[in-house]
Amino acid sequence: MFGKTVREDQRDDGRERFDVAIIGAGISGIGCAYLLRKQCPNLSIVILEALESYGGTWLIHRYPGARSDSDLFTFGYGFKPWKGDPIASREQILDYLGSVIDEADLAPHIRYRQQVRAADWSSDRSAWTLEVLDAEAGEARRIEAGFVWMCQGYYRHAEGYTPDWPGLDRFAGEVIHPQHWPDALDLTGKRVTVIGSGATAATLVPALGGQCGHVTMLQRTPTYFAAGRNADALADELRKLEIDEAWIHEIMRRKVVRDRADLIERARAAPDALKALLVSGVKAHLPDDYDAERHFSPPYKPLQQRVAFVPDGDLFRAIRSGQASVVTDRIVEFDERGVRLESGERIDCDVVITATGFELAVMGEIPFTVDGARVDFSDTVSYRGMLFTGVPNMAWVYGYGHYSWTLRVELVGAFICRLLRHMEARGAKSVAPALDLDAAQMPRQPWMDPDSFNAGYLLRSLQRLPKRIDRAEWQHSQDYLYERDALPAVDLDDPVFSYGY
């Protein structure tokens, strides 16, 4: 099957058949498609995207000030130099992704507004049948693929997470989730309450500060923040020396990775000292009498959740200027005029923005079956967080929590390309990871250790995710430096890989 073009491999019923179907045209799908075209140019591919264009997260998130919360030296691709400031706007990221599509000639392979409704593996045909709703044509179609590569991201685009607060339906003002930002929203003179304290809230608050009458960031639990210039002195100096941009990009990627590894080690070895450093860094941007301990000192260890970077301290400038304020309290209920808090205080407002996070999407919420039997991914064990026991010819791209997501996109992408070439060389039609007898008897643990990373969206869905066991190959490592060496060194003839012919 591998290596044939669509025209050569049409089924008798007219159904198209591809070697590889990539689900999603966001930063994961575009990156993996680029690597696949470069490393396996003989394989036919199709990229199925449910939205109207490429970009995924960056297409959906249209709220004011939307920007990356990772540096673009590592959030960007290793093969495509980033030439701008480390933290990039939504528009800059979309332009960057568009240029990758153009340069790699991926556009002919991408089909937009194609929602995959189901996926069924047939051992007889050694292929997946994808049930696809073509929103453009208004009809359902079937596509066959030898290998399915899930690059759809990790959260539901259709709906964000909003807690079930008492009385929210009584609130007379407007309630908005950032994933569904109204195009014509006018906040002039209005009192806005942003509920949440993560990267989205920290982006929205300074962006709205100059638009509305006043904006309040209402948080139940503080977040760790780090403020700094949206620039890098080393990158600036290298550019002054007219060093080639590709070299600058590689140097900066290595620097950022090293700095992040150092931070992770400090969080592990001396969490209290790192916490004090982060909180004191925030204090330096706020008035002397500001209660930073209450509003910016989280109860959890640093890096158990992401540290949000505040470029040029814009969030703290908004607080200092009086355009924004922070309230740390618990919601009791909403009424017509606003929200009543556990402390007895209340916040009256005209608009509520629920920057409370998102809902995790496990495998894009696509129903999978293998030879007609439903796949429950919570019953599977993941091989290095990308392949799954009992599920042939399918990979999932799930990035890092502590490093930039894209660093893992490229590691997984290179591994899957190598696996596909190896299957061709062996004449194998299918592959799935398999536990040996000892591993099968070992206790199964959650997908990720909550003590290492406990973001709310992850904790709410742990019971639906694949399991891990206490062996390196059966875990989704959060250690980029380890995986950078370990994944290219994997022996693809190891018995862990069960090939079918």
Side-chain angles (χ1 to χ4, degrees):
M1 187 216 82
F2 286 115
K4 295 182 180 179
T5 66
V6 180
R7 184 171 299 169
E8 291 170 337
D9 207 0
Q10 289 275 17
R11 284 175 49 87
D12 292 340
D13 59 8
R15 191 184 308 173
E16 289 179 295
R17 180 161 176 160
F18 298 87
D19 292 328
V20 181
I22 292 176
I23 314 301
I27 200 159
S28 299
I30 293 170
C32 290
Y34 177 96
L35 293 172
L36 188 61
R37 297 305 297 154
K38 293 291 184 182
Q39 298 183 22
C40 304
N42 59 314
L43 298 184
S44 60
I45 72 168
V46 65
I47 305 163
L48 302 173
E49 171 56 60
L51 301 175
E52 68 274 15
S53 187
Y54 64 86
T57 296
W58 305 106
L59 184 66
I60 286 288
H61 286 172
R62 304 172 186 271
Y63 57 82
R67 65 194 180 200
S68 65
D69 65 347
S70 298
D71 68 282
L72 262 290
F73 298 114
T74 57
F75 192 65
Y77 304 117
F79 54 78
K80 173 69 174 175
W82 176 253
K83 302 178 183 180
D85 294 332
I87 301 299
S89 69
R90 166 186 180 267
E91 293 77 15
Q92 290 173 317
I93 294 171
L94 286 175
D95 286 346
Y96 176 83
L97 293 176
S99 66
V100 173
I101 290 173
D102 290 342
E103 291 168 12
D105 196 25
L106 296 179
H109 304 285
I110 305 177
R111 300 181 183 182
Y112 296 112
R113 301 187 68 193
Q114 308 289 307
Q115 184 179 6
V116 180
R117 307 294 291 273
D120 177 62
W121 169 263
S122 167
S123 295
D124 290 339
R125 296 197 309 274
S126 296
W128 289 95
T129 295
L130 304 178
E131 301 284 347
V132 181
L133 177 62
D134 184 339
E136 199 71 42
E139 62 184 27
R141 295 176 177 169
R142 289 186 175 185
I143 292 175
E144 281 199 351
F147 195 96
V148 169
W149 202 337
M150 301 299 294
C151 297
Q152 84 296 336
Y154 64 120
Y155 70 92
R156 297 184 188 179
H157 288 160
E159 60 175 320
Y161 172 68
T162 300
D164 187 19
W165 294 302
L168 183 59
D169 57 339
R170 295 166 51 201
F171 178 59
E174 194 164 5
V175 180
I176 301 165
H177 193 283
Q179 280 182 217
H180 308 286
W181 195 265
D183 290 335
L185 182 65
D186 183 4
L187 297 176
T188 304
K190 293 185 177 180
R191 300 164 299 172
V192 178
T193 296
V194 176
I195 303 177
S197 60
T200 301
T203 298
L204 269 169
V205 169
L208 298 179
Q211 296 183 22
C212 61
H214 186 79
V215 56
T216 301
M217 185 171 83
L218 171 59
Q219 59 181 10
R220 181 181 63 182
T221 306
T223 291
Y224 285 108
F225 289 102
R229 290 176 58 232
N230 188 16
D232 189 282
L234 176 57
D236 291 345
E237 184 63 24
L238 292 173
R239 284 172 180 145
K240 288 179 183 176
L241 295 172
E242 299 182 348
I243 303 297
D244 184 272
E245 286 288 350
W247 288 20
I248 296 174
H249 188 66
E250 179 60 24
I251 290 167
M252 292 308 304
R253 281 170 71 86
R254 295 188 185 198
K255 176 180 181 294
V256 170
V257 166
R258 183 204 63 191
D259 291 347
R260 175 57 57 164
D262 289 347
L263 184 67
I264 293 170
E265 175 57 26
R266 293 174 71 181
R268 185 197 64 79
D272 291 341
L274 179 57
K275 176 176 182 175
L277 180 66
L278 290 169
V279 174
S280 66
V282 170
K283 287 181 178 179
H285 289 269
L286 295 167
D288 292 339
D289 59 350
Y290 192 86
D291 192 354
E293 290 292 337
R294 174 174 175 75
H295 300 306
F296 293 102
S297 180
Y300 53 87
K301 298 176 184 177
L303 270 67
Q304 281 188 307
Q305 297 182 22
R306 291 182 72 93
V307 176
F309 182 72
V310 181
D312 301 318
D314 58 4
L315 171 63
F316 309 121
R317 284 204 313 271
I319 294 171
R320 287 199 313 270
S321 70
Q323 293 177 335
S325 56
V326 180
V327 174
T328 304
D329 210 332
R330 290 179 176 268
I331 294 172
V332 173
E333 65 175 351
F334 281 81
D335 57 27
E336 292 81 0
R337 296 184 295 115
V339 58
R340 187 165 65 85
L341 304 174
E342 200 172 74
S343 64
E345 300 294 320
R346 61 173 294 116
I347 302 173
D348 290 333
C349 52
D350 306 300
V351 178
V352 168
I353 299 172
T354 57
T356 43
F358 49 82
E359 294 284 10
L360 191 74
V362 180
M363 311 301 164
E365 302 303 325
I366 297 168
F368 279 78
T369 53
V370 172
D371 293 325
R374 175 179 171 271
V375 177
D376 183 344
F377 281 96
S378 68
D379 290 336
T380 69
V381 180
S382 77
Y383 175 81
R384 300 188 184 272
M386 57 179 163
L387 305 174
F388 307 94
T389 53
V391 186
N393 287 23
M394 194 276 274
W396 189 29
V397 175
Y398 193 104
Y400 294 117
H402 296 323
Y403 291 92
S404 288
W405 179 275
T406 319
L407 288 172
R408 195 162 201 271
V409 169
E410 294 190 70
L411 288 180
V412 171
F415 179 88
I416 297 300
C417 288
R418 186 163 70 93
L419 179 61
L420 292 173
R421 294 196 305 272
H422 190 72
M423 291 173 67
E424 283 191 278
R426 289 184 58 142
K429 295 181 179 179
S430 67
V431 64
L435 299 168
D436 62 29
L437 290 177
D438 289 340
Q441 301 303 314
M442 297 178 72
R444 299 190 177 191
Q445 302 170 0
W447 167 261
M448 200 170 293
D449 181 2
D451 192 54
S452 172
F453 189 68
N454 62 10
Y457 65 85
L458 188 64
L459 297 182
R460 290 193 297 270
S461 295
L462 269 181
Q463 75 284 356
R464 301 194 300 122
L465 286 162
K467 299 299 190 291
R468 62 185 167 93
I469 60 176
D470 193 18
R471 285 189 183 176
E473 67 269 27
W474 295 110
Q475 300 192 20
H476 177 357
S477 174
Q478 287 292 305
D479 187 343
Y480 169 70
L481 295 180
Y482 162 75
E483 289 204 314
R484 184 182 64 185
D485 296 330
L487 291 187
V490 168
D491 179 4
L492 296 178
D493 287 318
D494 189 291
V496 74
F497 300 104
S498 177
Y499 293 98
Y501 299 89

